[in-house]
Amino acid sequence: MSVSDRTGVRGILAPVARLDRWLYVVFLVVLATCVLRYLERHGLGPDGVLVLVGAGLLAVAYSLRPLLPARAWWPALWVVTVVVLWALLTLAAPSFAWCAAPLAFAVLQVLPFRAAVWVVVLMTAVVTAAELRLADGFDPTVVVGPIGIAVVAVVVYRALQRESSARQRLLDELTDAQADLLSAQHRAGALAERNRLSREIHDSIGQRLASITLLLAATEQDWERRPGLAHDHVRVAATTARDGLDEVRRVVHDLPPVELADDTADALPLALRQLVDEIRPPLEARLHVHGEPAPVPADVAGALLRSARGALANVIEHSGARHVAVSLTFQPDEVRLDVRDDGSGFEPDELRTPADRGRGIAGIRDRAEGLGGRASVESAPGEGTTVSIALPTDVPR
């Protein structure tokens, strides 16, 4: 519940909290001045006592405004009380008409605009009637002056109230827009993180899972005839599974692959060499390194290694290739990785379908673009496939 709701204040000037105190001080000062002027002119006779009592009651009634409870009829009762007391004083002593200005502003704080306008009109009529009593004959300025001042005051403050309301609506809309933006950013961040995890897990363990599948298939074939070799296959498969589990943990925590813990110039070629050596027959894999090896930023090296794993997993799973060549080329401003196989190939348009291979290639592209690089795929049915990734080496660390 707002302050206005608790106090019964709901007019167009209700939000102006500091105005409340100034109106109270100004009203009491003007009221006291009017009382002193009346007593100076007329003395403390029977009429003076009545005026003094009426002024005291008006001061007390006006002071009760901050205590108005949150009921619809209390503000109206307060306005009726203070306006009637003021009107009686003004008709008895026209100098009390000066209290109309702060009292009118207080009414604009308490009552809704339409009701406040009618009260101000009534007060203007009282001021005009009191001034006409003192005038010698009919003075049009006594009529037009108070009416003009009242109209200007009400219209100006109505315009200020509308502008304030419009500004508040804009602030509310801005707040809602900021909340929507934060929510959208949160959803986008969650989606990006989900895509990252999906991409990295696919490319990190896809090749290892493919190798484990081939090793277990070879184990099944050699189990009876060559048990020693079959046991070797099982050992290698278990080691590969443990490495894959460790890599999944590193992906979840957004860490570079363990093979790249050393950030020397030979770290990436050695990691790719280890990756190629894990390839098992019937697929033959070779690694070629071109150019002078140089240290590569950790995120770039990790992206290339995981992209190589994803591409090799696609070769093992889908291509039916007999040979695959992995080429790493160091250039002055970028590092290029090419994975070429002699498999069955495919139509590049197939990447638009939700096939597993399409998702793997899409992940490689997303990873490259995220680091300011590029990735491309060249393939045709029966002519093998080449996946190329080029990443800049000046990515901020």
Side-chain angles (χ1 to χ4, degrees):
M1 181 182 293
S2 67
V3 175
S4 297
D5 293 334
R6 292 197 305 268
T7 62
V9 176
R10 51 197 174 129
I12 64 175
L13 299 183
V16 189
R18 290 178 128 187
L19 180 62
D20 198 25
R21 293 189 294 270
W22 281 106
L23 284 178
Y24 181 72
V25 172
V26 171
F27 180 80
L28 292 184
V29 170
V30 173
L31 181 63
T33 302
C34 293
V35 170
L36 293 175
R37 182 179 183 278
Y38 180 87
L39 294 177
E40 180 186 359
R41 295 284 182 90
H42 304 282
L44 190 61
D47 292 341
V49 172
L50 292 177
V51 168
L52 187 60
V53 171
L57 292 175
L58 179 58
V60 171
Y62 189 93
S63 301
L64 294 177
R65 184 168 66 84
L67 304 179
L68 294 178
R71 292 186 178 89
W73 52 273
W74 276 102
L77 177 62
W78 178 85
V79 169
V80 170
T81 302
V82 294
V83 169
V84 168
L85 288 172
W86 166 82
L88 294 174
L89 285 171
T90 302
L91 293 175
S95 59
F96 283 94
W98 290 104
C99 297
L103 185 58
F105 290 139
V107 170
L108 288 170
Q109 276 197 307
V110 173
L111 293 182
F113 178 71
R114 292 183 180 276
V117 168
W118 284 108
V119 173
V120 171
V121 169
L122 176 62
M123 293 175 64
T124 304
V126 172
V127 171
T128 302
E131 292 295 332
L132 286 176
R133 286 182 53 198
L134 300 178
D136 296 330
F138 178 76
D139 186 352
T141 61
V142 173
V143 178
V144 175
I147 294 177
I149 294 174
V151 169
V152 169
V154 171
V155 170
V156 167
Y157 280 101
R158 180 60 167 173
L160 290 176
Q161 185 265 343
R162 287 178 173 173
E163 182 179 352
S164 176
S165 298
R167 186 181 298 109
Q168 186 61 47
R169 284 195 300 271
L170 289 176
L171 290 175
D172 293 340
E173 292 174 2
L174 178 60
T175 301
D176 293 341
Q178 289 176 333
D180 293 341
L181 179 59
L182 289 176
S183 178
Q185 289 176 337
H186 176 74
R187 291 194 300 269
L191 180 60
E193 180 65 9
R194 185 164 62 244
N195 289 339
R196 183 191 72 83
L197 290 174
S198 175
R199 178 181 68 239
E200 301 299 349
I201 290 175
H202 176 276
D203 290 348
S204 295
I205 67 172
Q207 189 265 348
R208 287 191 169 96
L209 290 177
S211 297
I212 292 172
T213 301
L214 293 177
L215 286 168
L216 293 179
T219 299
E220 185 178 12
Q221 294 177 358
D222 296 334
W223 192 262
E224 298 292 342
R225 293 177 298 145
R226 294 181 288 183
L229 183 59
H231 290 160
D232 290 340
H233 291 332
V234 171
R235 263 195 314 274
V236 175
T239 301
T240 304
R242 284 194 297 270
D243 293 342
L245 182 59
D246 181 67
E247 181 64 15
V248 168
R249 293 193 185 102
R250 298 184 71 83
V251 166
V252 169
H253 294 288
D254 199 17
L255 298 174
V258 67
E259 298 90 341
L260 299 175
D262 182 8
D263 59 355
T264 62
D266 295 328
L268 181 57
L270 290 176
L272 289 174
R273 170 61 62 190
Q274 180 181 347
L275 178 63
V276 168
D277 290 343
E278 292 175 359
I279 304 295
R280 296 287 181 250
L283 181 62
E284 296 182 8
R286 293 174 297 171
L287 172 67
H288 305 282
V289 179
H290 306 284
E292 185 67 25
V296 177
D299 48 357
V300 173
L304 290 172
L305 182 58
R306 284 169 176 159
S307 296
R309 282 177 179 161
L312 289 173
N314 282 339
V315 172
I316 295 172
E317 270 191 87
H318 305 288
S319 71
R322 298 181 59 187
H323 302 89
V324 60
V326 179
S327 299
L328 180 66
T329 304
F330 288 91
Q331 297 177 350
D333 57 351
E334 70 176 15
V335 181
R336 183 182 181 90
L337 177 73
D338 298 289
V339 180
R340 296 186 294 274
D341 68 69
D342 60 357
S344 58
F346 61 95
E347 290 289 347
D349 289 343
E350 294 178 6
L351 294 180
R352 299 174 184 173
T353 67
D356 289 340
R357 181 163 184 159
R359 284 201 297 267
I361 297 295
I364 291 174
R365 283 176 172 165
D366 291 343
R367 185 185 293 113
E369 292 173 358
L371 291 172
R374 60 191 183 279
S376 62
V377 178
E378 296 180 5
S379 185
E383 297 184 9
T385 301
T386 299
V387 177
S388 300
I389 305 103
L391 297 178
T393 55
D394 59 349
V395 176
R397 293 173 183 259

